[in-house]
């Protein structure tokens, strides 16, 4: 809890569960999904907003700052279009990605390996659109320096660091935008 990733308003380590403080979460809103990153946490609220707390050195909380937060703050709208609801959340080591009701992905945080998928390696402190063209996603998962998206026809796309072959594209080259996995031995 050195960065407040437990969300209890302290930096104290805990050996048993503690309640996450309300922070910027309005009264009556409950969490419907949660995700844990390297030193930050995300929650999807019943109001369709994303809340985050913990380490924020690279903007992984998405609140437009790089300040650590020991209690939940609301993630900025950024490039998520008006009317698009967040339906899924995923936290990587120092980045975060969400899936919108439009089937598009939006990401923020550390981007040194292109794990945000926006075609750059610039860190972002609020959500940017993943450069996926016409691809619509049904699921998303974040790794340490890479991200995976499952498209609507059941195939995975990957981007970010690839120094161990984690992008599944038969190379060790990193990517700053999504690319489909190589089929290999998969029928």
């Amino acid at each position: 809890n050195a960065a407040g990733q437990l969300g209890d308003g302290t930096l104290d380590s805990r050996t048993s569960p503690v309640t996450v403080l309300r922070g910027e979460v309005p009264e009556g809103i409950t969490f419907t999904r949660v995700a844990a990153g390297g030193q930050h946490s995300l929650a999807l609220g019943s109001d369709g907003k994303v809340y985050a707390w913990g380490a924020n050195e690279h903007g992984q909380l998405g609140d437009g700052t790089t300040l650590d937060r020991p209690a939940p703050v609301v993630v900025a709208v950024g490039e998520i279009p008006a009317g698009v609801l967040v339906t899924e959340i995923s936290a990587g080591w120092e980045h975060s990605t969400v899936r919108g009701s439009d089937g598009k992905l939006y990401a923020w945080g550390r981007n040194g390996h292109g794990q945000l998928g926006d075609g750059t390696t610039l860190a972002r402190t609020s959500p940017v659109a993943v450069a996926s063209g016409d691809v619509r996603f049904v699921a998303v998962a974040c790794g340490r320096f890479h991200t995976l998206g499952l498209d609507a026809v059941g195939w995975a796309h990957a981007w970010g660091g690839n120094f161990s072959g984690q992008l599944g594209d038969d190379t060790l080259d990193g990517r700053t935008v999504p690319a489909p996995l190589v089929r290999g031995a998969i029928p």
Side-chain angles (χ1 to χ4, degrees), residues 69-154:
R69 307 291 187 160
V73 293
V74 67
V75 171
V77 173
E79 293 182 7
I80 301 173
V84 171
L85 302 174
V86 173
T87 58
E88 185 178 357
I89 59 176
S90 184
W93 184 252
E94 294 170 322
H95 74 290
S96 304
T97 307
V98 299
R99 183 171 57 88
S101 57
D102 58 354
K104 301 301 257 177
L105 302 179
Y106 303 91
W108 59 92
R110 185 174 185 178
N111 195 26
H113 299 281
Q115 59 264 48
L116 301 187
D118 68 343
T120 77
T121 55
L122 301 173
R124 307 294 185 158
T125 61
S126 62
V128 293
V130 172
S132 58
D134 293 334
V135 176
R136 296 294 180 258
F137 293 97
V138 297
V140 62
C142 294
R144 184 168 184 175
F145 298 123
H146 72 293
T147 307
L148 298 169
L150 181 65
D151 70 24
V153 296

Side-chain angles (χ1 to χ4, degrees), residues 36 63 82 145 181:
D63 67 343
F145 298 123
L181 273 64

